[in-house]
Amino acid sequence: MAGEKVKTFKFIIVGGGIAGVTCAEQLSPEFPSADVALITAGLHIKTVTNYKQVSKTIEEFDVEERPSSVLEEKFPNLTVIHSAVRSIHAHSHCVETLDGRVFGYEKLCLCSGARPKLLAQDNPFVLGIRDTDSAQEFQKRLSKAKRIVVVGNGGIALELVYEVEGCEVVWAVKDKAIGNTFFDAGAAQFLVPSLEADKPKADVPCRRPRYTTEEPAPGAAQTFTADGSSRGQSSGSVEPGSALGPDWHRGVELRGAEQASRRVSVEYQCEVDQIFSFEERLRSPQQTLNPESDGSWPVYVQLTNGKTFGCDFVVSATGVVPNTEPFLHGNNFAVASDGGLQVDDHMRTSEPDVFAAGDVCTACWEHSPLWQQMRLWTQARQMGWYAARCMAADVLSEATELDFCFELFSHVTKFFNYKVVLLGKFNAQGLRSDHELLVRCTKGREYVKVVLSRGRMVGAVLIGDTDLEETFENLILNQMDLTPYGEELLNPNIDIEDYFD
Ligand code: FAD
């Protein structure tokens, strides 16, 4: 250990994102005479506001990016330390920051989040979007771009291809349908026409979180075009800030260098084979380019389907890697196969008195049959809150039970301007092949899918303003045998809410 211990805190929380801030906000008032520290690498912290428990497990809230002084003013026993943690010495219960200070702790909670898994490290033409800085860099580069290639099929890619205007987007997905992380092919079909249409003007108030910051922001393939036509073709920074969340693009103009509105072409079932520069291309002219890709582009992306696209830059949206590196050296943290710190049902890591929450951890307890971990905003809040409860119980030698929020997976978001609610095993994840699906779809209005296993509802996807979330949540939680209702369950002429009252 380089320096002398500056101070010992009862609780240290590492990370100023949703998980860390929620944890600190719980612990500080519960132990008003104890010293609490929040150590964070970023300049701002993320706070949850307007929290609303919509139903038993569904919640909605806004998130604001704020200066850390807001927290210190609210909780006099809380100190915010702006520096990255360089190492942890679990054995001697202390952490060392990049600026050389050493702080002791009784209980530690690691909430350092995750960063984008980049297709290529140190390639200036490959961008990942994670925090406010990277979103601003993306916006700046986009304003001069005529074509970008987006790689990935999760939430970030989905939002991005929908939002970008004035720049051609080539979207490479490894699956047979778009949005595979969240939906099946049916839901993807429902959403695809939205890529063909012009984006509705932003006159509808946004119900999901908005960011405010103290500093001014600087600045076989199918082709869908905004005019409605559809063509068929054969065939990390050292000190990361906290992750963005839903609506990260609101208030940020995602416009390229062209006049046209949206033009997205999707390349299905392919991955990136290699990325090479203009100079490298000149050196190996045998690269097969698509006719429209010929010409000079700063970078070229060769896909596993044999096509090569020239573009201004590539967005790598292929998932995240938990930020664990500074903690692993010299300690015995058990790390899960996805790179997260393993935590048990009390959010404890394998090191004594060290807890973890949010994107950095992997939930390694035996999950409820209706819950799965996804690195999402809601789960970061729930885990941060529950970790605080477990740390407090540990200090007070009290027992705690796994919180009810881990009983049923629920997530509310927006894709392509539709409200999207996902419940339980919404994509039949891990179910036996004898599960059944019931679907109701009205083009342009709603897509409702329920997943039944042995007559019981175990999951649902609700796209549009269906108002079915609470009823379906209840049906999933109470595991009522729905066999007698058959397909009537989704009969639009039956008011299902009254039916099951
Ligand atoms: P983070 O918010 O990443 O916070 C980590 C904190 O740790 C940061 O303050 C960072 O500065 C700090 N830190 C990191 N390393 C260190 C260190 N060594 N020492 C000290 N501090 C450190 N989720 C949704 O639910 N819905 C969405 O629609 C959605 N959209 C998203 C869109 C984008 C573009 C992105 C990037 C994410 C999106 N997410 C979404 C995911 C969601 O934002 C994350 O799951 C959530 O923010 C994770 O919170 P966290 O507190 O665990 O980590």
Side-chain angles (χ1 to χ4, degrees):
M1 165 113 14
E4 284 296 302
K5 213 182 272 184
V6 175
K7 180 171 176 170
T8 293
F9 292 88
K10 191 166 193 79
F11 302 106
I12 290 185
I13 299 121
V14 177
I18 292 297
V21 171
T22 307
C23 184
E25 285 179 328
Q26 289 300 313
L27 285 170
S28 305
E30 190 167 349
F31 296 89
S33 53
D35 287 326
V36 181
L38 178 75
I39 306 182
T40 182
L43 284 176
H44 294 99
I45 49 122
K46 290 258 161 84
T47 57
V48 169
T49 57
N50 302 326
Y51 177 80
K52 193 167 126 214
Q53 186 83 44
V54 178
S55 62
K56 291 189 187 79
T57 62
I58 301 172
E59 52 186 43
E60 284 185 2
F61 52 83
D62 296 339
V63 169
E64 286 183 22
E65 200 168 67
R66 311 283 299 272
S68 57
S69 54
V70 172
L71 274 186
E72 287 176 315
E73 279 157 22
K74 198 162 162 199
F75 307 109
N77 58 330
L78 176 69
T79 308
V80 180
I81 298 162
H82 286 285
S83 187
V85 168
R86 178 161 65 187
S87 57
I88 293 180
H89 306 270
H91 192 64
S92 48
H93 279 54
C94 51
V95 303
E96 187 175 350
T97 53
L98 261 189
D99 55 15
R101 287 180 289 171
V102 178
F103 301 98
Y105 63 82
E106 242 177 76
K107 305 278 173 205
L108 173 69
C109 189
L110 300 175
C111 307
S112 50
R115 62 183 185 284
K117 214 186 269 174
L118 285 185
L119 283 164
Q121 297 295 335
D122 302 324
N123 184 330
F125 297 106
V126 178
L127 303 189
I129 299 174
R130 181 70 195 163
D131 49 22
T132 314
D133 286 349
S134 55
Q136 282 167 1
E137 174 65 14
F138 169 69
Q139 183 191 27
K140 203 169 101 197
R141 302 270 293 265
L142 180 67
S143 65
K144 297 185 200 111
K146 292 187 175 149
R147 184 192 294 147
I148 60 171
V149 173
V150 177
V151 185
N153 205 6
I156 296 172
L158 265 173
E159 289 174 80
L160 203 102
V161 296
Y162 181 72
E163 291 300 329
V164 168
E165 291 181 299
C167 175
E168 186 189 344
V169 177
V170 177
W171 185 13
V173 302
K174 66 177 179 353
D175 313 290
K176 283 188 189 146
I178 60 162
N180 204 53
T181 319
F182 295 99
F183 324 111
D184 58 6
Q189 271 317 111
F190 173 82
L191 289 173
V192 149
S194 300
L195 285 179
E196 301 166 17
D198 278 332
K199 255 191 332 182
K201 294 275 168 275
D203 51 357
V204 186
C206 158
R207 291 184 58 218
R208 292 292 302 171
R210 235 172 233 295
Y211 296 95
T212 54
T213 101
E214 295 301 295
E215 287 165 18
Q222 271 180 296
T223 301
F224 305 105
T225 56
D227 63 8
S229 59
S230 160
R231 294 192 278 121
Q233 287 176 17
S234 57
S235 86
S237 78
V238 185
E239 300 203 349
S242 41
L244 299 166
D247 291 346
W248 60 275
H249 41 77
R250 305 270 150 172
V252 180
E253 198 192 29
L254 296 183
R255 174 160 278 285
E258 307 269 58
Q259 278 308 310
S261 40
R262 195 190 299 116
R263 186 164 172 228
V264 181
S265 51
V266 189
E267 295 291 329
Y268 293 100
Q269 290 184 281
C270 63
E271 292 182 51
V272 171
D273 198 8
Q274 48 170 323
I275 297 175
F276 49 93
S277 64
F278 179 68
E279 291 74 24
E280 284 165 330
R281 195 200 132 208
L282 288 181
R283 283 199 292 274
S284 37
Q286 71 274 23
Q287 298 284 359
T288 33
L289 298 178
N290 311 308
E292 68 261 52
S293 295
D294 227 343
S296 55
W297 293 93
V299 65
Y300 292 82
V301 182
Q302 189 176 335
L303 302 175
T304 48
N305 63 8
K307 293 186 192 172
T308 302
F309 292 91
C311 60
D312 290 290
F313 64 90
V314 185
V315 180
S316 176
T318 50
V320 293
V321 198
N323 289 323
T324 57
E325 288 72 15
F327 317 136
L328 302 182
H329 182 73
N331 298 308
N332 280 319
F333 285 108
V335 176
S337 56
D338 64 2
L341 298 175
Q342 290 190 15
V343 290
D344 67 8
D345 57 356
H346 285 75
M347 307 309 288
R348 285 182 295 230
T349 67
S350 51
E351 282 288 2
D353 298 318
V354 185
F355 298 71
D359 280 8
V360 73
C361 78
T362 303
C364 287
W365 62 82
E366 199 183 321
H367 300 169
S368 139
L370 301 168
W371 187 85
Q372 59 272 331
Q373 181 180 10
M374 285 183 83
R375 289 189 164 85
L376 294 168
W377 212 345
T378 5
Q379 291 197 355
R381 195 205 66 82
Q382 291 166 340
M383 286 181 170
W385 179 84
Y386 179 59
R389 234 181 70 191
C390 293
M391 290 164 85
D394 219 23
V395 164
L396 303 169
S397 304
E398 288 174 355
T400 33
E401 278 190 15
L402 188 65
D403 193 79
F404 187 72
C405 66
F406 301 110
E407 260 321 291
L408 173 65
F409 174 89
S410 61
H411 184 57
V412 184
T413 188
K414 249 186 178 185
F415 286 126
F416 296 9
N417 218 33
Y418 287 101
K419 176 177 176 179
V420 175
V421 181
L422 306 170
L423 295 171
K425 299 288 173 185
F426 58 88
N427 242 354
Q429 300 96 322
L431 295 186
R432 292 168 13 159
S433 56
D434 62 356
H435 68 267
E436 287 175 84
L437 303 179
L438 292 181
V439 176
R440 175 173 102 197
C441 179
T442 313
K443 203 174 170 219
R445 209 172 73 205
E446 59 163 28
Y447 176 88
V448 178
K449 179 185 84 173
V450 299
V451 185
L452 298 164
S453 176
R454 281 172 272 179
R456 269 87 180 161
M457 195 185 290
V458 292
V461 174
L462 309 173
I463 306 179
D465 289 314
T466 66
D467 272 338
L468 289 171
E469 52 267 38
E470 210 170 334
T471 310
F472 281 10
E473 180 192 47
N474 283 329
L475 291 176
I476 295 175
L477 284 170
N478 68 26
Q479 287 293 284
M480 179 177 167
D481 185 2
L482 299 168
T483 319
Y485 305 97
E487 290 178 9
E488 288 298 289
L489 199 61
L490 292 191
N491 183 340
N493 300 319
I494 294 179
D495 188 343
I496 194 165
E497 217 175 315
D498 287 352
Y499 206 65
F500 286 105
D501 244 358

